[in-house]
Amino acid sequence: MSQSWKPLPDDLSEPARRLAEELRAVKDAHRISLAELGKRTYLSKASWERWLNGKRLITPQALAGLIAAVECDAALLISLLRQAEAEREEGATEPAADLVPKPEPEPVPVPVPLPGLPVETPALPVEQLPSVEVPLVEAPLVPAAELPTGIPMARVAAAIAAAAAVLVLVAGLWLRGPQGGGSAAAAIPPTATASEPAPLCQGVGCAGKDPQAMGCETDDHTLLKGNVGQVVLYMHYSPRCRAAWAGITDGSPGDSATISTNTGWQETALIHWGYDNYSVMVDASPGDTTLRVCGHQKGGDGCTGVVTDPAARAAAAPLPVPPTVATTPTSRAG
């Protein structure tokens, strides 16, 4: 569905402006809403709103997801993104529309270069790093009151890891594609982890600290995701930092998501304004760590399942699956 677009920011570079206009044209041509665009690419509609309105420069992974999801001029879009990223790096000392710090930054992980771009790029502050969103593991929410407190999860974790390993192998073959062919998404090379800066904290040293400021978002794995009505809860984990945090999107002021561990540590992401936020981190380094995220919204409360051994879950790196409908959240009195 086409729409009346807001004017793009005046301080956008010419390639970034053209890229935003082309992305808008793709959305209008396919007559799809932001919500539908988010479902097809496994990214939030909040992120697409920022990219389409020039508030942030679209990430390489998000662009690859769009190219794989809808028919569009992949070569043109990739070329414009390369040009926009090059101009952003050249003008890194000057304010740019997509580098202005936001009070509510979106939680995003590993930067992935497009074909032809060098792997090693000039070092930027963590909050300015280009980023992508990690494929999600969907899990239905269960009412908080019904969550078990002592379920042995070793067999479940082992089964998940085994199934995920098969999916990763299939994904690798698909992404590699035929020689000389394949989609634009398949042409994007994997990130060279050797060029990533070291995180500023690990384990208990990360407790209570911002994952973006500490460099922990560069390898963010979303271990679980679920809905309470329209509100989306996330369980994030960084293998390099051995720490975890909660995220919440599509909410409203007053909504929150709290991550807790089996040691009793809790941190909360509260939406003060807008529609999303993320919490500071909890220590997830002990081998017996278990994690859970619970949401508190006007429409009711709900929790994700419990994750045991988050390091093994992240190493499995499962592919995204279509969203599932969560169970009805527990209604709150009044």
Side-chain angles (χ1 to χ4, degrees):
M1 59 187 69
S2 61
Q3 66 181 67
S4 177
W5 294 101
K6 297 178 181 178
L8 292 169
D10 294 334
D11 53 357
L12 281 181
S13 66
E14 182 58 28
R17 180 177 298 277
R18 283 197 58 201
L19 178 58
E21 291 172 348
E22 290 294 335
L23 291 174
R24 288 178 171 186
V26 170
K27 177 183 177 299
D28 289 345
H30 289 276
R31 302 178 66 83
I32 53 178
S33 66
L34 287 175
E36 178 62 23
L37 187 57
K39 289 180 181 178
R40 294 191 187 187
T41 58
Y42 303 102
L43 302 170
S44 71
K45 67 178 182 181
S47 296
W48 279 109
E49 186 275 332
R50 293 186 181 99
W51 295 327
L52 292 171
N53 286 313
K55 298 177 182 178
R56 293 284 183 94
L57 184 63
I58 190 171
T59 63
Q61 186 73 10
L63 182 57
L66 176 68
I67 292 170
V70 301
E71 183 178 353
C72 58
D73 190 340
L76 173 62
L77 296 177
I78 292 174
S79 175
L80 289 174
L81 180 55
R82 287 203 197 104
Q83 297 174 41
E85 288 187 328
E87 290 212 7
R88 179 175 64 181
E89 292 174 4
E90 291 174 1
T93 57
E94 301 177 2
D98 59 317
L99 299 183
V100 176
K102 300 294 190 299
E104 303 292 342
E106 58 193 64
V108 285
V110 187
V112 178
L114 284 170
L117 289 181
V119 172
E120 295 188 1
T121 56
L124 295 175
V126 174
E127 63 271 15
Q128 297 180 6
L129 286 173
S131 54
V132 300
E133 301 195 22
V134 169
L136 302 174
V137 180
E138 300 289 346
L141 297 180
V142 296
E146 298 179 8
L147 281 172
T149 57
I151 298 178
M153 298 293 288
R155 293 186 179 180
V156 176
I160 292 174
V166 176
L167 292 176
V168 170
L169 177 61
V170 175
L173 295 175
W174 179 83
L175 288 173
R176 181 178 300 172
Q179 292 294 330
S183 67
I188 297 178
T191 301
T193 55
S195 65
E196 293 180 0
L200 300 180
C201 67
Q202 281 192 330
V204 70
C206 292
K209 295 179 181 179
D210 187 301
Q212 184 180 32
M214 293 294 103
C216 300
E217 281 194 330
T218 59
D219 68 334
D220 170 23
H221 287 63
T222 302
L223 302 183
L224 285 179
K225 171 189 172 186
N227 296 75
V228 177
Q230 295 299 314
V231 178
V232 187
L233 306 179
Y234 301 85
M235 181 187 295
H236 297 283
Y237 172 76
S238 166
R240 296 194 313 153
C241 293
R242 292 182 294 172
W245 62 97
I248 180 172
T249 61
D250 299 321
S252 58
D255 294 346
S256 66
T258 298
I259 188 168
S260 59
T261 72
N262 54 322
T263 62
W265 194 290
Q266 292 186 343
E267 295 294 353
T268 298
L270 174 65
I271 299 179
H272 300 283
W273 62 274
Y275 40 74
D276 59 1
N277 202 356
Y278 61 90
S279 72
V280 295
M281 294 182 283
V282 298
D283 176 21
S285 59
D288 61 348
T289 294
T290 64
L291 301 172
R292 181 180 68 183
V293 174
C294 291
H296 180 74
Q297 292 82 35
K298 298 179 182 66
D301 300 336
C303 296
T304 66
V306 176
V307 169
T308 62
D309 196 353
R313 182 68 170 267
L319 293 172
V321 295
T324 57
V325 178
T327 57
T328 305
T330 305
S331 300
R332 293 186 290 112

